[in-house]
């Protein structure tokens, strides 16, 4: 390591020791000292400088937000963030991002076989586009997984608007529906098949995949989910966002049915909470957790667990203390009531088969009587979709995305994908349980009165409510925290007399499709406090 960089890191690591009384230096003081040395440190390493920029911007914004919401101890608005309106999704191509390579000039044809359920396959489709861009390849519309646990034989065109997908991305890459027959007839061997390691860097594709593509002309990548690195350069990250939030549009029948379910929820209540409840038997068995069902539960989940021969023996108590266990429906209800949602709140529950059925759901229904599912709201219309789990999941996706508040009891693929979309679309409220801290509270809730319990839940959930500054940029899974694609509107320090933003900023609203308005276009900057 270079001497200057080493000294810089030593300085920041030992900064707390500089206080004359040996106490911890406050955040403001640390940022002040860091800003003082910004110029010098920037010369030593751009990496440290970027962290200083984040530090200074975070300090400035926290001071601003304290004026808006009364500081860190102020009550949280459970329905929406007070400063989400200052952010918008931005996915525009940079000036130096070249046009798509035409089919006849590309390096070959890339076939992609995705893996898993709907949202896991979605991550594969997103990264397939980026991989094709890296390889200068022509992408063939990806194949969906027909052999996973869900046994859904839907094809891409059954779920997504394939023509929209091809057209929307035409400036980024060339996409075709199938390899031309003359290319297939000219091949001496079947398409070469390979599996790329998970989280592979672009360099891997250029060094290991491209030579094969050039030699064989047609290449298939299998089990394609999370096969591309999380952190890419900004232009490729924005391409991910164009695919995910714009190009991947559900078919018209799915969109229309999803919107009818949304309208039924809206007719009953002006706002509603969507709960993505993962509590299926196989998911619980895989977790290795215990949920209070006695020997019957231990036996049943233990038998299911035998399907995976390589799973390690886990301590249920240890997993719960580490925050690795999904919340039960009852615990989700307790968390929501403690946060301030009243029992007349309307809940839309998106779930598969709930382990324990009605008996497991009863405590949640007692806390929130107004619970609805897609089956309750559109039973007859759903019948043609019943054999297709991915199409049913697409309906849940739409209704959850349109909700005022999205709550999850897990951190699975749908939870991550929807959380990222809601951040991109204006930071609509997302509640992710702080399971590690909540587990201890749930265990001891009978030892305290309700007000004490509620107060502790609210304290635990700060930082887990989907606020814009919860995650440092570049951290976390990109599909969940798409920081590159979330821009910040320019703001003025002076607030109006009523504490709101000046009218010029109020006009900078987010359009329905996630693109910024004409007033704000080109004036925003990337958020540095995701």
């Amino acid at each position: 390591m270079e001497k200057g960089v080493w000294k810089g890191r030593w300085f920041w690591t030992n900064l707390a020791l500089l206080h004359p009384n040996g106490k911890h230096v406050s955040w403001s003081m640390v940022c002040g000292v860091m800003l003082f040395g910004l110029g010098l440190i920037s010369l030593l390493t751009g990496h440290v400088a970027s962290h200083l920029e984040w530090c200074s911007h975070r300090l400035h914004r926290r001071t601003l937000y304290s004026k808006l919401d009364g500081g860190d101890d102020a009550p949280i608005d459970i329905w929406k963030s007070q400063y989400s309106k200052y952010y918008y999704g931005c996915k525009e191509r940079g000036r130096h991002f070249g046009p798509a390579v035409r089919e006849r000039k590309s390096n070959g044809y890339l076939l992609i076989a995705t893996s898993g359920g709907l949202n896991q396959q979605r991550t594969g489709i997103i990264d397939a586009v980026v991989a094709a861009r890296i390889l200068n390849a022509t992408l063939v519309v990806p194949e969906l997984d027909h052999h996973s646990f869900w046994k859904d034989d839907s094809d891409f065109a059954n779920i997504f608007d394939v023509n929209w997908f091809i057209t929307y991305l035409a400036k980024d890459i060339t996409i075709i529906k199938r390899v031309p027959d003359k290319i297939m007839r000219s091949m001496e061997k079947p398409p070469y098949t390979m599996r790329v390691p998970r989280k592979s860097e672009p360099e891997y594709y250029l060094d290991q995949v491209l030579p094969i593509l050039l030699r064989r002309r047609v290449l298939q990548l299998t089990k394609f989910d999370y096969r591309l690195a999380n952190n890419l350069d900004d232009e490729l990250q924005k391409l991910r966002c164009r695919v995910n939030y714009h190009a991947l549009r559900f078919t018209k029948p799915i969109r229309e049915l999803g919107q009818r379910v949304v309208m039924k929820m809206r007719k009953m209540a002006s706002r509603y909470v969507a709960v993505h409840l993962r509590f299926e038997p196989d998911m619980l068995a895989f977790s290795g957790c215990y949920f209070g069902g006695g020997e019957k539960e231990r036996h049943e989940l233990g038998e299911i667990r035998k399907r995976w021969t390589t799973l390690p023996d886990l301590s249920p108590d240890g997993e719960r203390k580490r925050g690795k266990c999904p919340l039960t429906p009852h615990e989700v209800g307790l968390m929501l009531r403690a946060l301030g949602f009243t029992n007349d709140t309307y809940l839309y529950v998106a779930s598969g088969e709930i382990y324990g059925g009605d008996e497991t759901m009863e405590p949640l229904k007692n806390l929130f009587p107004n619970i609805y599912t897609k089956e309750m709201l559109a039973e007859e219309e759903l019948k043609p979709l019943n054999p297709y789990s991915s199409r049913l999941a697409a309906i849940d996706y739409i209704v959850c995305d349109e909700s005022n508040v999205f709550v999850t009891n897990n951190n699975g693929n749908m939870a991550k994908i929807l959380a990222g979309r809601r951040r991109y679309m204006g930071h609509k409220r997302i509640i992710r349980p702080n399971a590690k801290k909540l587990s201890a509270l749930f265990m001891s809730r009978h030892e305290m009165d309700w007000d004490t319990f509620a107060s502790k839940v609210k304290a635990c959930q700060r930082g887990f409510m989907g606020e814009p500054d919860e995650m440092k940029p570049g951290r976390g899974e990109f599909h969940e925290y798409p920081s590159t694609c979330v821009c910040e509107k320019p703001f003025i320090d002076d607030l109006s007399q009523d504490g709101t933003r000046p009218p010029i900023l109020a006009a900078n609203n987010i359009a329905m499709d996630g693109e910024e308005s004409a007033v704000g276009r080109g004036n925003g900057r990337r958020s540095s406090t995701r």
Side-chain angles (χ1 to χ4, degrees):
M1 186 181 293
E2 295 182 8
K3 186 176 181 181
V5 176
W6 185 90
K7 286 184 177 180
R9 291 186 178 176
W10 177 91
F11 172 76
W12 300 119
T13 304
N14 295 278
L15 181 61
L17 300 178
L18 299 180
H19 193 286
N21 296 324
K23 299 178 180 178
H24 290 293
V25 180
S26 68
W27 179 258
S28 299
M29 187 179 297
V30 171
C31 282
V33 174
M34 293 170 79
L35 287 172
F36 181 77
L38 178 59
L40 176 61
I41 298 301
S42 296
L43 295 175
L44 296 176
T45 167
H47 179 72
V48 173
S50 66
H51 284 273
L52 289 173
E53 181 186 1
W54 171 81
C55 171
S56 65
H57 196 61
R58 179 184 174 93
L59 175 62
H60 176 77
R61 287 176 59 250
R62 287 180 70 87
T63 302
L64 172 68
Y65 299 153
S66 66
K67 298 176 184 177
L68 289 172
D69 60 20
D72 288 341
D73 295 330
I76 298 174
D77 186 335
I78 55 178
W79 288 100
K80 63 179 181 179
S81 167
Q82 294 189 43
Y83 46 91
S84 61
K85 56 188 175 183
Y86 305 128
Y87 298 87
Y88 63 91
C90 51
K91 43 68 181 172
E92 288 73 18
R93 301 168 189 83
R95 287 180 296 178
H96 302 294
F97 195 68
V101 175
R102 297 298 96 191
E103 181 180 351
R104 67 178 183 274
K105 294 184 178 180
S106 72
N107 289 328
Y109 296 89
L110 188 64
L111 302 171
I112 295 291
T114 60
S115 179
L118 174 65
N119 292 286
Q120 186 175 341
Q121 292 185 96
R122 191 184 188 100
T123 65
I125 296 168
I126 295 165
D127 287 349
V129 172
V130 181
R133 173 77 192 199
I134 292 169
L135 295 167
N136 277 336
T138 295
L139 178 66
V140 180
V141 171
E143 297 178 4
L144 301 189
D145 188 350
H146 297 164
H147 306 289
S148 68
F149 172 81
W150 292 271
K151 299 293 187 294
D152 187 333
D153 61 2
S154 297
D155 291 322
F156 189 101
N158 299 130
I159 299 174
F160 300 107
D161 186 334
V162 64
N163 292 326
W164 173 267
F165 177 72
I166 293 171
T167 303
Y168 191 92
L169 294 170
K171 293 182 180 180
D172 296 304
I173 64 167
T174 298
I175 306 174
I176 59 175
K177 294 182 180 180
R178 54 178 294 181
V179 178
D181 289 339
K182 64 179 181 180
I183 298 295
M184 295 298 292
R185 288 195 298 266
S186 67
M187 294 174 58
E188 297 179 358
K189 299 178 181 179
Y192 187 86
T193 298
M194 66 180 294
R195 187 180 302 179
V196 177
R198 288 204 163 211
K199 304 292 184 181
S200 293
E201 299 287 342
E203 290 75 17
Y204 181 90
Y205 284 85
L206 295 174
D207 295 340
Q208 303 296 325
V209 181
L210 182 58
I212 299 174
L213 177 65
L214 291 171
R215 187 169 64 250
R216 301 297 295 269
R217 191 59 179 159
V218 180
L219 173 64
Q220 182 177 50
L221 303 181
T222 62
K223 290 286 183 180
F224 204 80
D225 59 339
Y226 298 102
R227 302 290 165 176
L228 191 59
N230 185 50
N231 294 316
L232 303 173
D233 70 61
D234 285 0
E235 287 298 334
L236 293 180
Q237 297 289 55
K238 286 197 173 188
L239 176 55
R240 272 175 162 164
C241 295
R242 290 196 290 276
V243 181
N244 194 6
Y245 307 128
H246 299 275
L248 277 178
R249 186 171 73 175
F250 292 124
T251 61
K252 186 176 180 180
I254 290 175
R255 295 199 313 272
E256 290 179 343
L257 178 52
Q259 288 301 324
R260 286 197 291 272
V261 176
V262 171
M263 292 306 298
K264 288 182 180 181
M265 289 297 298
R266 295 279 183 221
K267 285 181 180 179
M268 293 184 288
S270 60
R271 56 189 185 184
Y272 67 93
V273 175
V275 180
H276 181 226
L277 203 56
R278 287 297 310 274
F279 211 70
E280 298 92 341
D282 62 302
M283 187 260 195
L284 302 187
F286 188 86
S287 74
C289 299
Y290 172 67
F291 300 93
E295 287 303 316
K296 180 175 180 291
E297 176 192 312
R298 290 190 176 93
H299 174 73
E300 289 176 345
L301 297 187
E303 288 299 306
I304 297 174
R305 193 171 171 79
K306 291 178 181 178
R307 298 176 186 171
W308 300 283
T309 57
T310 59
L311 286 182
D313 290 330
L314 300 172
S315 164
D317 290 340
E319 291 302 287
R320 184 165 293 277
K321 289 178 181 178
R322 293 173 58 217
K324 299 299 182 181
C325 299
L327 268 60
T328 67
H330 188 201
E331 289 170 340
V332 170
L334 289 172
M335 177 188 71
L336 293 177
R337 289 295 298 272
L339 287 172
F341 292 98
T342 55
N343 71 338
D344 59 351
T345 300
Y346 278 70
L347 262 58
Y348 177 86
V349 175
S351 69
E353 175 193 358
I354 298 294
Y355 179 69
D358 291 340
E359 184 179 351
T360 301
M361 288 294 292
E362 191 63 29
L364 177 60
K365 291 178 179 178
N366 291 336
L367 291 168
F368 293 97
N370 299 312
I371 288 183
Y372 294 88
T373 63
K374 59 182 178 294
E375 289 79 11
M376 296 169 66
L377 298 171
E379 183 177 7
E380 290 300 317
E381 293 177 283
L382 287 174
K383 282 184 178 179
L385 304 185
N386 283 337
Y388 309 105
S389 60
S390 290
R391 299 183 217 182
L392 293 174
I395 302 299
D396 277 337
Y397 182 101
I398 292 170
V399 185
C400 288
D401 182 44
E402 293 285 349
S403 67
N404 300 85
V405 178
F406 175 63
V407 182
T408 176
N409 74 326
N410 68 95
N411 202 30
N413 291 304
M414 180 170 171
K416 290 178 179 177
I417 288 286
L418 265 173
R421 178 176 174 83
R422 290 173 71 89
R423 288 184 171 94
Y424 179 85
M425 294 296 184
H427 278 89
K428 294 187 286 185
R429 178 63 80 201
I430 308 156
I431 300 178
R432 177 169 57 93
N434 184 355
K436 189 173 183 178
K437 290 187 176 180
L438 287 176
S439 63
L441 270 180
F442 290 135
M443 294 293 290
S444 59
R445 70 180 185 275
H446 297 301
E447 301 172 9
M448 62 187 84
D449 60 54
W450 175 256
D451 289 341
T452 301
F453 174 74
S455 177
K456 289 181 179 294
V457 169
K458 290 172 183 174
C460 286
Q461 283 302 117
R462 284 194 178 274
F464 290 79
M465 299 290 287
E467 294 292 337
D469 62 346
E470 283 181 357
M471 181 65 72
K472 190 175 178 180
R475 298 288 181 87
E477 188 72 43
F478 183 77
H479 296 299
E480 185 176 6
Y481 298 100
S483 57
T484 306
C485 305
V486 178
C487 290
E488 184 176 337
K489 297 174 184 177
F491 56 80
I492 302 170
D493 288 340
D494 295 329
L495 300 176
S496 60
Q497 291 182 355
D498 63 355
T500 61
R501 285 284 168 199
I504 184 65
L505 290 180
N508 251 350
N509 289 329
I510 302 169
M512 287 300 291
D513 65 352
E515 298 185 39
E516 70 274 26
S517 67
V519 177
R521 190 172 295 120
N523 295 326
R525 60 188 175 202
R526 238 190 63 202
S527 169
S528 58
T529 52
R530 203 76 318 90

